[in-house]
């Protein structure tokens, strides 16, 4: 479930997608019943669904002990604040339901099928309408009192860059500098129309490199995957991010995984399918939990 669309997938993995339908994200009273109708249809088609995985935009309350477990938190998306996502599906279907964030889901998909196989510590970063990171440490998604919101980390700015940023909460946090809407606000045009050699990209790469710096000095991941609509359409950002990252770290820390920056900071192995496959990965995990 994304801010603009919900990609519903029936299958067991990237090599076995039986059906996929895209539904627009409208108000919950419209969108959730539409998803339920589709799942009911699939339930009838395939016999019984073994598990339902939901990887959704947040913030989500994922603390099992919480009174508001499985609910969406405060969000500017009309009608979605406080919606009980987990409850909605759990009360309508016999299959076990798993819920996590869009980026944790994508990280799980990368671990299962993509560029993070065999890794215990890595980050999946999405740069799209917003910026988020699914952080896996010691094989588990990092989770304190809340899931991380690394898109809102404060980053050092390039010398002389004083553009105020577009985050309504923080101005020039990472999301306020490098998300699709931030880039478009700064450039005054659609991101897709900005030339590759425009000076607009340099501070974007700089800001994303700052996130990589923060990740390395906090959890020292084995790999940092960066996907999402902005970076997947602008692959020229990768060399700039790597270069800016190396400059920022300035020789500090010698981690073997970091020796080859081309694989250390890389696109997701599943490409733009990482997000949608995240829900399948959650379903697979939920099914496995139920059978141990
Ligand atoms: P979402 O954030 O809803 O999951 P995406 O990851 O696809 O969706 O990201 C959407 C963002 O990608 C939009 O903000 C848009 O500005 C940006 N975008 C779309 N096409 C391009 C492009 N060709 N170059 C750079 N940014 C793009
Ligand atoms: Zn912010």
């Amino acid at each position: 479930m994304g801010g603009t669309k919900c990609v519903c997938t029936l299958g067991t993995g990237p090599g076995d997608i039986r059906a996929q339908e895209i539904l627009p994200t409208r108000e919950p009273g419209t969108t959730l019943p539409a998803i339920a109708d589709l799942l009911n249809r699939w339930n009838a088609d395939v016999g019984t669904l073994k598990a339902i995985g939901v990887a959704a935009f947040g913030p989500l309350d994922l603390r099992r002990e919480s009174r508001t477990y499985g609910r969406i938190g405060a969000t500017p998306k009309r009608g979605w604040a406080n919606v009980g996502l987990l409850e909605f599906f759990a009360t309508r279907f016999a299959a076990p339901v798993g819920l996590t964030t869009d980026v944790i889901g994508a990280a799980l998909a990368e671990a299962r099928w993509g560029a993070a196989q065999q890794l215990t510590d890595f980050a999946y970063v999405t740069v799209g309408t917003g910026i988020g990171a699914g952080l896996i440490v010691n094989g588990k998604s990092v989770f304190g009192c809340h899931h991380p919101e690394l898109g809102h980390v404060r980053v050092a700015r390039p010398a002389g860059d004083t553009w105020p940023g577009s985050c309504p909460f923080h101005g020039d946090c990472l999301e306020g500098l490098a998300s699709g809407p931030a880039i478009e606000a700064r450039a005054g045009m659609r991101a897709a129309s900005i030339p590759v050699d425009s000076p607009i990209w340099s501070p974007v790469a700089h800001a994303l490199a700052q996130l990589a710096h923060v990740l390395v000095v906090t959890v020292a991941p084995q790999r940092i995957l960066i996907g999402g609509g902005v970076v997947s359409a602008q692959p020229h950002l990768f060399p700039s991010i790597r270069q800016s990252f190396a400059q920022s770290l300035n020789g500090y820390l010698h981690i073997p995984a970091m020796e080859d920056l081309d694989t250390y900071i890389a696109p997701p192995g599943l490409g733009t399918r990482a997000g949608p496959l995240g829900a399948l990965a959650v379903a697979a995990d939920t099914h496995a939990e139920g059978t141990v």
Side-chain angles (χ1 to χ4, degrees):
M1 300 180 63
T4 50
K5 62 186 191 297
C6 301
V7 184
C8 307
T9 310
L10 174 69
T12 61
D16 176 34
I17 304 286
R18 318 264 177 98
Q20 189 161 67
E21 290 199 23
I22 297 176
L23 304 172
T25 306
R26 300 221 166 89
E27 295 200 5
T30 310
T31 300
L32 290 176
I35 297 174
D37 285 350
L38 178 60
L39 294 182
N40 274 320
R41 233 189 313 133
W42 284 345
N43 230 340
D45 288 350
V46 299
T48 308
L49 298 175
K50 293 281 195 303
I52 297 172
V54 184
F57 62 82
L60 294 175
D61 186 348
L62 297 176
R63 294 167 302 159
R64 283 179 197 270
E65 71 283 5
S66 164
R67 263 191 318 115
T68 50
Y69 175 54
R71 287 180 176 267
I72 298 180
T75 168
K77 291 186 185 69
R78 229 171 98 103
W80 286 94
N82 215 25
V83 164
L85 271 189
L86 191 64
E87 185 191 358
F88 178 86
F89 293 105
T91 54
R92 282 169 179 76
F93 296 93
V97 182
L99 172 72
T100 195
T101 68
D102 44 8
V103 279
I104 294 175
L108 296 176
E110 284 292 319
R112 204 173 256 272
W113 300 300
Q117 292 178 58
Q118 326 295 339
L119 302 186
T120 53
D121 300 84
F122 68 96
Y124 174 90
V125 181
T126 184
V127 185
T129 314
I131 296 184
L135 199 51
I136 306 293
V137 173
N138 288 328
K140 287 210 157 69
S141 55
V142 167
F143 198 84
C145 299
H146 198 274
H147 53 78
E149 284 282 350
L150 276 159
H152 295 271
V153 73
R154 291 203 182 274
V155 299
R157 306 284 302 271
D161 182 8
T162 56
W163 188 66
S166 70
C167 175
F169 296 95
H170 317 115
D172 62 351
C173 68
L174 177 61
E175 185 169 295
L177 291 170
S179 64
I183 294 165
E184 294 186 343
R186 186 169 192 170
M189 64 171 93
R190 302 291 302 272
S193 310
I194 305 171
V196 166
D197 59 0
S198 163
I200 212 88
W201 297 116
S202 170
V204 171
H206 186 275
L208 292 168
Q210 291 291 299
L211 172 62
H213 181 135
V214 167
L215 287 169
V216 166
V217 297
T218 46
V219 296
Q222 295 158 294
R223 188 166 292 161
I224 298 170
L225 301 171
I226 311 181
V230 173
V231 172
S232 64
Q234 305 288 339
H236 60 88
L237 285 170
F238 276 101
S240 319
I241 294 168
R242 293 178 189 122
Q243 191 187 16
S244 177
F245 166 76
Q247 267 168 9
S248 179
L249 214 52
N250 196 26
Y252 193 65
L253 289 183
H254 292 280
I255 298 173
M258 262 165 44
E259 263 160 31
D260 178 9
L261 281 187
D262 289 355
T263 56
Y264 191 66
I265 299 178
L270 300 167
T272 53
R273 297 191 304 159
L277 286 167
L280 271 195
V282 175
D285 281 351
T286 303
H287 180 57
E289 274 168 30
T291 53
V292 282

